[in-house]
Amino acid sequence: MGKTIAEKILSTRSGRDVKANDIVVAELDFIMGQDGTSPLAIQAFQEMQARRVFDPARIAMVIDHSAPSPLEGVSELHQQMRSFAGEQGICFYDIGDGVCHQLLPEQGHVVPGDLVIGADSHTCTYGAINVFSTGVGSTDLAAGLISGKLWFKVPETFKFVLNGQLPAGVYSKDLILHLIGDVTADGATYMAAEYVGEAIAGLSVEARFTISNMAIEMGAKAGLMEADQKTLDWVKQHSTKSFTPVKADADAVYARIKEYDVSRLEPQVARPHTVDNVAPIGEVAGTPIQQGVIGTCTNGRIEDLRIAASILKGRKVKSRLIVAPSSRQVMLQAIREGLIEIFLESGAAVVTPGCGPCVGTHNGVPSDGENVISTANRNFKGRMGNNRAFIYLGSPATVAASVIKGEIGDPREFLR
Amino acid sequence: MDLKGQVHKFGDDVNTDYIISGRHKFKTLDMKELAKYVMEDLDPEFYSKVKAGDFIVAGSNFGCGSSREQAPLAIINANISAVVAKSFARIFYRNCINTGLPLIECDTEQIDEGDELEVDLQKGVLYNRSKGIEIAVTPLPDVMLKILSDGGLVEHFKKYGTFNFD
């Protein structure tokens, strides 16, 4: 009987021939923690009476959620992370370096076939480059730091077959919002998602990250894609590590298979207060918008900034706009290409590379009754730090179109 | 372990931002302090209403969203004895096992606000005393029972120094 990508990677890393629903202890290739989760992990590490991490070369810690620190208490937690990383000799990314999920692939830490955990729910992002990566909590992170291992239930797999090519003005963000709206917020709970088909093949690797990033929003443990030539080229540009890509067998067993034709898909928007409350743009166009956000681990990459800038160029925003590039490298590239100048001239506020206002700790907390449209992955009530605000989610193009109009707008009106 | 208490009922898709909101979650490691804000955005009176041993009961996909362990830890520190739901989001589920917050997966249609529940975790049975019924509970896999019975993953590692399920 054939195997899915998840079954193959967990078989290799556990040294056993495993199938869905088996429970294994598997060896980890890389481990990540951010500033919202690492302090509790360091506390657990100490309580577990450990002295050294298993391998400093396979661990990174990132300050991105509250960067730079907005509060005294947070500064103290950041300092604990800096001390721990320094003592243990682990790779450390400080304020301004970027969002963890941009940094791990960009800096070459993760490569196809790897098994990776991160203490952040959007760790599933690297599935786009054929990595079985999944989010865990702080105690799991501590156990990983000590032993280099973690227990996993081998997930069943939900296969999404995506046919056709996305039309102009419609992006990978619209595609994943559409899938989440269709299968709902718990449509893939306890499962791995596998995304296949010509629609995926037609996307750049950067655009694919957006799709894998949001696998968790349908409850999935991982959001996997096979490695094609584009993946191999991208990974070799970013990493010197050797790797072995993993393909699903033709006779692999899937818990569910759904097929979609994306060639007539319209821009999609998730309405407050759940990610699966998705509508085509026509149903929400005209909704007044007070603040737009472009950035985050979902859509803060250079391609996203290029798309937004192409719409904002020579125009002024009617709503406030916050732009948070996803890493220092992305921001530097955006400066070189003149994109930051376009944002600033349009009236945007450009903030430090990092999670920006997405997690509600700083950098743009909305006020009571305000509507925000964001390229982020979550619109939960209170997510951005005010439970009396309303968050809509869309592509960078939809956010750019909306802040120009001062209301939710269709980016296809701005295609040049 | 026998748990007894009253029900505080919630709906489907209770996410981690509801459990502990964005305004508070990353400020401190003092979980007693964070516990005061548990469920604040769904019910501002929640913390003051809870009596030690009470249950949170919900629909499907409880704990969806973030991987923050502040969510189960804040629930534990609000003196909730267990969370009962139709299904749980997977990271939250792991975090509960690791931090020692008992989870009960079962049909919650016949449990209402204010009902008196009693749970026998060893036997895997939930009694709704107010309605006089017994509800079947999905049993936990051995690996998770082992971690829970050791008192969470920290205690497991203190005992063995690594994972030990033999």
Side-chain angles (χ1 to χ4, degrees), chain A residues 36 43 47 77 120-121 134-140 149-151 186 190 221 359 378 380-381 385 387, chain B residues 15 17-18 23 25-26 29 41 61 65-67 69-70 88 90-91 94-95 98 105 147 158 163:
Chain A
Q43 190 175 293
E47 284 171 14
L77 298 176
D120 186 277
S121 59
T134 193
V136 298
S138 299
T139 308
D140 274 333
K149 297 176 194 162
L150 196 63
W151 67 268
D186 65 347
Y190 305 129
K221 183 170 189 162
V359 277
R378 288 202 177 121
F380 302 154
K381 195 174 175 185
N387 62 7
Chain B
N15 64 61
D17 280 273
Y18 288 149
R23 292 185 298 289
K25 61 197 170 194
F26 298 142
L29 291 184
D41 286 348
N61 205 25
S66 156
S67 64
E69 234 161 75
Q70 286 88 338
F88 292 91
R90 59 158 288 279
I91 303 177
R94 289 185 76 99
N95 287 345
N98 287 342
E105 203 170 57
I147 295 172
K158 268 163 88 170
F163 290 103

Side-chain angles (χ1 to χ4, degrees), chain A residues 123-175:
Chain A
T123 301
C124 50
T125 308
Y126 332 130
I129 53 168
N130 196 233
V131 175
F132 187 99
S133 54
T134 193
V136 298
S138 299
T139 308
D140 274 333
L141 173 62
L145 293 175
I146 296 166
S147 67
K149 297 176 194 162
L150 196 63
W151 67 268
F152 295 91
K153 182 171 172 187
V154 181
E156 295 185 305
T157 296
F158 189 146
K159 182 173 173 176
F160 293 87
V161 183
L162 305 163
N163 301 315
Q165 298 295 333
L166 291 172
V170 182
Y171 301 91
S172 60
K173 179 60 160 291
D174 301 300
L175 173 51

